[in-house]
Amino acid sequence: MTYLLDGQEINNLKKKIMKTFYVLLFFITLTSCTESDEKTKEISINNQWSLTMYEPGFTATKNYNTRQIMWNFQIDGNLIVEVENIVDTPPILEDGSYTYSLNNNKITINNVEYDYSLSDNELIVSDDPASDGFRATFVKINE
């Protein structure tokens, strides 16, 4: 027994397949967005960060060992900077306590505004490196 589909039945079948495809695509997209949003919420600047590389524009890049220069961003808006004695002239900030605030991709430290970007394990603070400003790269210290 042979069953032949006419033009109308073929069009209805195509529509059902397309609906199923779009519903499946919608749920995949919805699920993907939820996971991405959750990951974004977990990334926080409130942590200890070790300066590993300081690029001061057109002069030589300076590399630092882990924990030589530490920035500890605290939830209350304080930044504690600790510099080991072997570092003669620390870039950006010396030992001490500073205030900071975040606004979009800007960080203000003691009323001086910088750009910043943050990922899981890397923090970059910069001051227009394209026009001879600095770029400082930090790694997260997991205790």
Side-chain angles (χ1 to χ4, degrees), residues 5 10 15 19 33-34 36 38 48-49 53 61 67 69 71 80 101 106 108 112 117 120 122-123 127 130:
L5 298 174
I10 291 174
K15 287 180 182 178
K19 275 185 179 179
C33 291
T34 303
S36 176
E38 288 175 5
Q48 290 186 8
W49 300 90
M53 183 169 42
T61 297
R67 297 184 184 270
I69 299 176
W71 286 21
I80 309 298
S101 63
K106 302 286 185 184
T108 303
V112 178
S117 65
D120 288 337
E122 185 178 73
L123 167 66
D127 186 20

Side-chain angles (χ1 to χ4, degrees), residues 79-98:
L79 166 61
I80 309 298
V81 176
E82 297 174 355
V83 181
E84 285 187 354
N85 291 337
I86 61 171
V87 178
D88 293 332
T89 308
I92 315 169
L93 300 172
E94 296 182 0
D95 264 345
S97 179
Y98 304 87

Side-chain angles (χ1 to χ4, degrees), residues 12-79:
N12 287 341
L13 184 59
K14 285 181 180 178
K15 287 180 182 178
K16 285 182 181 180
I17 291 171
M18 289 306 293
K19 275 185 179 179
T20 304
F21 174 75
Y22 285 129
V23 168
L24 182 61
L25 184 63
F26 172 76
F27 283 114
I28 290 172
T29 303
L30 184 65
T31 304
S32 297
C33 291
T34 303
E35 290 175 11
S36 176
D37 291 345
E38 288 175 5
K39 188 174 182 179
T40 301
K41 292 177 187 174
E42 295 173 8
I43 299 173
S44 173
I45 198 168
N46 299 319
N47 214 313
Q48 290 186 8
W49 300 90
S50 177
L51 179 65
T52 56
M53 183 169 42
Y54 180 73
E55 301 166 85
F58 294 124
T59 58
T61 297
K62 177 71 176 160
N63 294 303
Y64 294 94
N65 293 326
T66 304
R67 297 184 184 270
Q68 278 186 312
I69 299 176
M70 296 289 298
W71 286 21
N72 185 355
F73 291 92
Q74 301 178 342
I75 295 172
D76 64 2
N78 284 313
L79 166 61

